[in-house]
Amino acid sequence: MQDSLVYPRDLLGYAGQPPDPLWPGGALIAVSIVLNVEEGGEYNILHGDAHAEYVLTDAGVSTPLLAARDANVESMFGYGSRAGFWRVMRLLREREVQATIYAVGMALERNPAAAVEIKASGFDTVCHGYRWIDYHTVDEATERAHIARNVSAITAAIGRPPIGWYTGRPSPNTRRLVADHGGFLYDCDAYDDDLPYWTAMAGKPHLILPYSLDNNDARLVRGGDFATGDDFFTYCRDAFDCLYREGEAGRPRMMSIGLHSRIIGRPGRIGGLARLLDHIQRHDGVWLAGRDAIARHWIAQHPPTPAA
């Protein structure tokens, strides 16, 4: 019994009794669409790394090339920045969707044209690590420096400081370092709920907006169960329909949808995203919002309790 008092994981959450989020306008569901901008910040010996990138490419998960550049992987990432990013942004603009950008600092530094487009869109821009790498093996001092550098890079590129954080491959130190840095309204390095929630870091309230790796186009290249844009559409449609029905039953929820320029931005896949937006936008009672707006709403409607 004593162990349960110090166990560091929260397996209960809202324990089946989540609060009514009171979404604006009485919405039945809040939908957060996220576009990851990573190309140019991935593993590469040009960036001082010991190996080339090897995950989330159309080559599937493979063994990384050591001490060498991987021309195929570089080219696949290049497609995202050169073509896919613009195709996805154009679709979001056409559908008047308010989205969120997960931005890798180094990637924005290498793609000023994308930074201009993001700034013009007004999309909430979240820190996605200064590098798109696995921070499990990065020492604490370096990770701390990368957090600060990521904030500076996004602020310089977009013209406004980021207020959200998402590493994706965090270290055991990441959340503490993010809280120590300060300046963030919310943290997305979690996948454990359908609603935002409060936790505590160093005795201070820390807001979590869970993200999603299942409603995510990454499944198209992880060697798993998605092969086509229709697979992505069908799964995300079913997730939306379930959460929407729960909202109709008086239990409104939040849905996150993860996109990558080099994945969903391909011509053979973008139709799946278009059909998903068609489906979502045919429904009344949907709040399509940036994560900044969702975080501010949660803070206003559900401020932290002393126990948070």
Side-chain angles (χ1 to χ4, degrees):
M1 186 65 178
Q2 181 65 24
D3 286 346
S4 67
L5 299 178
V6 297
Y7 191 60
R9 299 166 61 197
D10 179 2
L11 300 178
L12 297 179
Y14 292 120
Q17 299 295 324
D20 184 341
L22 303 172
W23 297 134
L28 304 179
I29 184 172
V31 177
S32 166
I33 293 178
V34 174
L35 176 61
N36 292 263
V37 176
E38 303 159 342
E39 293 82 6
E42 73 278 10
Y43 284 116
N44 194 310
I45 65 168
L46 296 176
H47 306 159
D49 302 312
H51 58 82
E53 186 54 73
Y54 59 101
V55 300
L56 292 198
T57 77
D58 280 315
V61 178
S62 58
T63 302
L65 292 180
L66 300 177
R69 294 172 62 184
D70 189 324
N72 286 342
V73 167
E74 288 184 19
S75 188
M76 292 173 203
F77 271 74
Y79 187 89
S81 61
R82 293 161 60 103
F85 170 81
W86 303 99
R87 184 172 288 121
V88 176
M89 290 293 285
R90 185 163 53 248
L91 177 61
L92 296 176
R93 287 283 197 93
E94 289 172 353
R95 302 306 177 87
E96 298 182 342
V97 170
Q98 192 65 27
T100 291
I101 303 293
Y102 281 179
V104 171
M106 181 182 281
L108 279 193
E109 289 175 341
R110 298 185 185 280
N111 195 341
V116 170
E117 175 70 7
I118 293 167
K119 181 178 181 179
S121 73
F123 290 171
D124 173 35
T125 306
V126 167
C127 283
H128 188 13
Y130 181 68
R131 298 288 314 283
W132 192 67
I133 59 176
D134 189 340
Y135 277 88
H136 281 98
T137 59
V138 174
D139 66 89
E140 182 173 329
T142 299
E143 185 175 9
R144 187 186 296 274
H146 278 202
I147 289 170
R149 191 169 180 184
N150 195 8
V151 171
S152 296
I154 291 176
T155 303
I158 306 300
R160 57 183 182 271
I163 60 169
W165 183 271
Y166 175 75
T167 300
R169 289 179 281 182
S171 79
N173 302 313
T174 301
R175 181 158 292 166
R176 172 174 54 83
L177 295 177
V178 168
D180 287 348
H181 184 277
F184 297 106
L185 281 188
Y186 64 95
D187 175 343
C188 303
D189 270 320
Y191 313 95
D192 52 4
D193 214 301
D194 297 314
L195 284 176
Y197 61 89
W198 291 97
T199 186
M201 290 302 302
K204 296 180 180 179
H206 191 77
L207 180 62
I208 306 299
L209 265 64
Y211 185 47
S212 173
L213 293 183
D214 67 312
N215 302 317
N216 197 304
D217 67 359
R219 295 176 68 180
L220 286 158
V221 296
R222 286 202 302 240
D225 50 345
F226 287 6
T228 69
D230 259 347
D231 292 335
F232 170 79
F233 161 67
T234 299
Y235 187 93
C236 292
R237 179 203 62 197
D238 289 352
F240 173 85
D241 288 351
C242 173
L243 295 173
Y244 191 87
R245 287 192 299 270
E246 291 182 4
E248 290 179 315
R251 300 184 299 276
R253 296 289 193 264
M254 171 184 168
M255 177 181 182
S256 296
I257 300 168
L259 310 173
H260 298 75
S261 301
R262 64 189 177 277
I263 302 176
I264 203 68
R266 290 280 180 175
R269 297 169 177 152
I270 193 72
L273 176 58
R275 288 187 286 280
L276 178 60
L277 293 176
D278 286 342
H279 182 76
I280 291 171
Q281 293 184 307
R282 277 196 294 266
H283 288 73
D284 295 325
V286 176
W287 185 35
L288 266 164
R291 294 175 89 78
D292 56 342
I294 294 172
R296 289 191 173 100
H297 173 86
W298 200 265
I299 291 167
Q301 296 294 333
H302 300 283
T305 63

